[in-house]
Amino acid sequence: MHSGQKLLNYMTLLESSSPSPIGCIKEDLNGKQLNCTEAFEEVMRSYIHPRLTHIEGRAIEDIYTALQRGDYETVFRIDRNLRTRTSPNEIDAEMRRAGRKLLKLSKSLYPWMNFTPIIEALQAEKAFGCPAIFYAWINFQLEIECKEAVPAYLYHHTTAYVEHCSRLLHLDDVTRRKVLIRMIDDVSERWLHTRQPSLPSFISETAYESPIQKTL
């Protein structure tokens, strides 16, 4: 099967596993109830898109690199670091559930895949189980190139946030599409900037030593 079709099939799975974004936006940058698209876009540009590109996107790239070497320990360190850098305590449980749900669905869809190392790491609490680690793990085994996988991840999550905003603010279809176009353009631009060779890798050996906090 062509890698593009594999990616499309997987993104369909991802849609069913995470119909709403983790840590839904309900407040503006001032902590007041979200009441307009301008406030939503400000949160996306100031917080969500930098997190998706500079942290999660780069992490997926480094997970790919580690998997190419068969270096599972680095994969699990990246996962632990993702948890501490992207997950406030109040959404820990939500992120963990999303990751476990994605793993369960993926095991059903891809019974031939090797999930044993990551399952054992989760049981031993060497890994937290952020959705990004499962995303990278599965796409790597599907032989989907990283340059395709990361943008698809960014677009998926950006779209999920816009759909959430649309429901929250009762947007009409025209307004929703315009917001989506602006947000996709923004996250694409940020990812191009993040990919500049002069920027340091996400991997930092000392950053991965934080212990996993039990929340469930």
Side-chain angles (χ1 to χ4, degrees):
M1 186 186 297
H2 189 272
S3 64
Q5 185 60 49
K6 289 180 183 178
L7 183 57
L8 177 60
N9 291 345
Y10 180 70
M11 295 312 294
T12 301
L13 167 67
L14 196 60
E15 289 289 344
S16 66
S17 69
S18 52
S20 61
I22 294 175
C24 294
I25 300 173
K26 298 178 181 178
E27 298 178 344
D28 62 22
L29 292 181
N30 296 317
K32 297 180 180 178
Q33 184 176 352
L34 193 70
N35 60 9
C36 64
T37 59
E38 290 79 11
F40 166 76
E41 292 184 34
E42 188 177 21
V43 175
M44 290 290 287
R45 291 190 174 96
S46 299
Y47 173 66
I48 302 298
H49 283 170
R51 187 200 77 200
L52 286 174
T53 54
H54 291 274
I55 298 178
E56 295 184 55
R58 295 303 298 273
I60 290 171
E61 283 193 324
D62 286 336
I63 290 172
Y64 259 75
T65 299
L67 288 173
Q68 287 169 349
R69 301 194 306 262
D71 184 359
Y72 295 145
E73 291 303 316
T74 294
V75 171
F76 304 145
R77 287 199 302 271
I78 293 172
D79 177 57
R80 294 198 298 270
N81 183 256
L82 271 174
R83 184 264 161 198
T84 58
R85 295 181 68 183
T86 66
S87 177
N89 289 334
E90 61 268 22
I91 64 171
D92 261 358
E94 185 182 354
M95 177 171 282
R96 191 187 291 262
R97 278 195 297 269
R100 298 305 192 279
K101 185 175 181 181
L102 183 54
L103 174 62
K104 182 178 180 180
L105 289 171
S106 299
K107 286 172 66 178
S108 299
L109 187 62
Y110 307 115
W112 52 268
M113 276 192 183
N114 178 20
F115 289 103
T116 300
I118 194 169
I119 291 173
E120 290 179 347
L122 290 170
Q123 292 172 343
E125 296 189 350
K126 292 173 62 178
F128 177 79
C130 294
I133 188 178
F134 296 115
Y135 179 85
W137 190 280
I138 294 161
N139 279 277
F140 180 81
Q141 293 192 71
L142 288 175
E143 298 181 340
I144 294 170
E145 292 188 28
C146 189
K147 64 181 180 181
E148 295 180 67
V150 176
Y153 181 89
L154 301 177
Y155 300 157
H156 162 74
H157 285 282
T158 295
T159 300
Y161 276 106
V162 171
E163 292 300 326
H164 160 70
C165 170
S166 179
R167 292 191 296 271
L168 184 67
L169 301 180
H170 308 290
L171 304 181
D172 59 75
D173 286 343
V174 173
T175 302
R176 177 185 59 80
R177 285 195 296 270
K178 288 181 178 179
V179 172
L180 179 59
I181 290 171
R182 289 195 294 271
M183 292 298 92
I184 291 294
D185 285 347
D186 183 71
V187 79
S188 299
E189 227 175 276
R190 287 177 185 275
W191 181 239
L192 286 175
H193 173 73
T194 303
R195 295 304 307 117
Q196 291 180 3
S198 60
L199 293 177
S201 170
F202 178 91
I203 294 178
S204 170
E205 290 296 327
T206 58
Y208 298 126
E209 302 308 319
S210 302
I212 300 173
Q213 298 180 14
K214 293 185 179 180
T215 58
L216 298 182

